[in-house]
Amino acid sequence: MGPASKEMRWETQSGVLAGMPAQWSEARRFWAANRFWMETQNLASKRYGGKRKQHWYAMMVMTKVLEQALRITGYYEAGRAHADDLRLRHIDLAFPDLPPAFDGFTLLHLSDLHLDGSPGLEDRILALIAGQTFDLCALTGDYRAAVHGPHDRAMQALERLVRGIDTREGILGILGNHDDTHMVPPIEAMGVRLLVNERFVLERDGQRLQFVGTDDVHYYYTDQAAVALQSARDAFTIALIHSPELCDAAAAAGVSLYLCGHTHAGQVCLPQGVPLVKHLRAGRAYYRGCWHHQGMLGVTNSGAGTSGIPVRFNSRGEVLVLHLRRRAHGV
Ligand SMILES: [Fe+2]
């Protein structure tokens, strides 16, 4: 089959994806056609379990009922104020095998922005990091509030945020379960390097620091995500994966650091931060903070935004600055 007939097959299969950027690799095109089909069919895919229909309507009704209950009881405004109260957190992460050229590397980690659901969030983040330069920034998905529909407002806010972030090596991003195929071109046009089951390698003094980013694995798991992690054997690797649900595959592949978000650390929690819902099917113990899994270090960012209802209780939104250190293992 020649190149012309291949192109025709993509166009026939994917409809509006006929306009996929010409520079996309065949692997990226294959991913996009499958992802777009799942989005339009309202399907979610999980590891080992095939595909199933999503039930957005039930979730929307539950969210509206909870929101009304908060308004009636007077807790809504307090929850909103708490959601807006972002904190900046610096965390030292130590690895005995970090290539020496990257000792002291600083990584700004932002997750779960849901920008169109939290007006002004981009400005609050920029105020927290004003005047600071980082080696790299990693965005671990969920730029939009809803899981379907328009993304224009979220993209406008993301562009404003991205323009204000100062880094030496650029900005990497991955997709979350609230992000769809058609957000890839506008995000890449902002200069963000999106990793869709792909890798990015930095080299200093002949030493390498590798980032492997996967598509979301909460709704849109495919084996392409697990396969992408296999390149971890080639270099010291940081995995960017929207949720902690692929921790076992990443640890087995030799990933050194796993960065994720998705859970919002519960967002609405009982006292002591006990979450009502984690939205995780695997890695449920890793719904917040720093953790270890089979020798791999992980960080679950509690997110800067909110989803569902724009409130937080007993969980705090955060912006993380991770400092990589070459020394005995630890946090
Ligand atoms: Fe998510």
Side-chain angles (χ1 to χ4, degrees):
M1 185 179 286
S5 53
K6 261 185 192 171
E7 195 61 35
M8 193 182 302
R9 187 183 59 191
W10 282 116
E11 290 182 15
T12 306
Q13 182 177 341
S14 57
V16 296
L17 283 175
M20 280 190 279
Q23 71 272 23
W24 280 13
S25 66
E26 182 132 335
R28 175 81 79 95
R29 286 164 177 262
F30 179 80
W31 161 81
N34 179 64
R35 176 65 134 86
F36 179 66
W37 171 70
M38 288 176 63
E39 290 163 5
T40 51
Q41 297 298 309
N42 245 5
L43 290 171
S45 168
K46 58 182 180 178
R47 289 170 79 191
Y48 318 121
K51 296 178 172 55
R52 62 181 171 78
K53 283 280 184 187
Q54 289 287 17
H55 300 288
W56 312 118
Y57 185 71
M59 182 74 85
M60 280 170 55
V61 169
M62 282 169 51
T63 301
K64 285 293 169 197
V65 168
L66 182 56
E67 184 172 337
Q68 281 307 315
L70 289 172
R71 287 182 187 277
I72 289 166
T73 55
Y75 283 102
Y76 183 82
E77 288 306 324
R80 280 209 68 145
H82 194 49
D84 287 349
D85 185 24
L86 275 184
R87 68 173 168 175
L88 178 70
R89 216 155 57 101
H90 289 263
I91 303 176
D92 270 16
L93 302 172
F95 306 88
D97 55 344
L98 179 72
F102 295 96
D103 190 10
F105 192 88
T106 54
L107 186 56
L108 174 66
H109 180 204
L110 300 172
S111 198
D112 303 277
L113 302 168
H114 300 289
L115 286 155
D116 48 341
S118 304
L121 176 61
E122 66 275 22
D123 293 326
R124 290 194 292 281
I125 294 172
L126 290 174
L128 283 176
I129 60 172
Q132 299 178 61
T133 301
F134 310 95
D135 283 302
L136 194 76
C137 171
L139 309 170
T140 49
D142 277 4
Y143 308 100
R144 179 174 65 181
V147 289
H148 286 295
H151 56 246
D152 301 16
R153 278 179 53 212
M155 293 298 96
Q156 286 162 11
L158 183 61
E159 185 163 21
R160 181 173 163 79
L161 176 63
V162 161
R163 270 197 265 117
I165 296 174
D166 189 17
T167 70
R168 296 179 189 89
E169 307 281 4
I171 302 177
L172 302 180
I174 57 169
L175 297 180
N177 58 307
H178 285 243
D179 307 320
D180 66 33
T181 322
H182 288 82
M183 291 161 66
V184 174
I187 293 174
E188 292 191 324
M190 294 172 204
V192 174
R193 186 171 183 128
L194 269 183
L195 300 176
V196 186
N197 308 317
E198 294 156 347
R199 61 175 161 171
F200 172 74
V201 180
L202 279 176
E203 210 164 308
R204 287 183 181 174
D205 303 333
Q207 299 161 30
R208 290 188 300 163
L209 179 63
Q210 175 173 258
F211 293 82
V212 177
T214 73
D215 187 14
D216 163 61
V217 297
H218 183 64
Y219 284 170
Y220 300 111
Y221 174 83
T222 66
D223 288 339
Q224 286 174 293
V227 169
L229 294 172
Q230 296 306 312
S231 61
R233 303 192 190 288
D234 300 346
F236 184 95
T237 295
I238 298 174
L240 308 178
I241 302 176
H242 180 58
S243 80
E245 292 164 297
L246 212 53
C247 58
D248 56 340
V255 167
S256 295
L257 174 62
Y258 187 120
L259 300 183
C260 61
H262 173 66
T263 62
H264 303 184
Q267 186 173 318
V268 174
C269 297
L270 299 173
Q272 312 303 322
V274 177
L276 300 176
V277 183
K278 293 181 181 175
H279 292 293
L280 294 176
R281 296 189 193 93
R284 289 176 56 81
Y286 309 140
Y287 73 96
R288 66 174 180 180
C290 299
W291 40 271
H292 286 94
H293 185 84
Q294 295 172 0
M296 177 183 71
L297 187 57
V299 177
T300 305
N301 190 316
S302 67
T306 54
S307 63
I309 312 170
V311 299
R312 280 186 185 261
F313 293 100
N314 299 307
S315 82
R316 194 163 174 196
E318 64 187 7
V319 169
L320 297 181
V321 181
L322 308 175
H323 301 261
L324 307 188
R325 311 286 187 195
R326 181 180 166 89
R327 62 168 188 256
H329 223 307
V331 175

